[in-house]
Amino acid sequence: MTDTEFETVNFCCEELEESVSSDPEASLIEHDSGLILLNLGHREEEGESGVVLATIRFCPFCGTEIQTDEDIEAALGAVEIVE
């Protein structure tokens, strides 16, 4: 696949494309909001458990900026955050 083909599917490199999954247990998750999130693991507090996710701005494989702060803020505006 060429770099141009990756750009049309919003992936900067083959490694990122192969690593991102919609599975909530995966390390790199493509959320319904369009964000690519890093799964930091499970957390349990006061009898409730959940997954801790972090936004990432740069591809962990090639270093390309894949999400700007504005992209993240816009996408998070549509996501319900449970605390």
Side-chain angles (χ1 to χ4, degrees):
M1 215 177 230
T2 67
D3 289 340
T4 306
E5 289 170 321
F6 284 119
E7 290 173 6
T8 61
V9 294
N10 298 320
F11 293 109
C12 51
C13 64
E14 188 174 347
E15 290 83 359
L16 183 63
E17 181 179 28
E18 291 174 357
S19 298
V20 171
S21 173
S22 60
D23 178 1
E25 298 297 319
S27 296
L28 289 171
I29 301 166
E30 184 172 17
H31 189 269
D32 294 339
S33 67
L35 290 178
I36 296 175
L37 304 170
L38 176 63
N39 183 344
L40 299 175
H42 291 276
R43 177 178 177 188
E44 189 169 324
E45 187 174 309
E46 298 178 10
E48 304 245 347
S49 65
V51 177
V52 179
L53 302 172
T55 58
I56 57 173
R57 286 189 53 200
F58 298 93
C59 175
F61 304 103
C62 70
T64 300
E65 183 175 42
I66 55 174
Q67 306 172 129
T68 65
D69 287 337
E70 292 80 19
D71 295 334
I72 293 168
E73 287 179 29
L76 288 178
V79 174
E80 180 182 343
I81 300 174
V82 180
E83 294 185 29

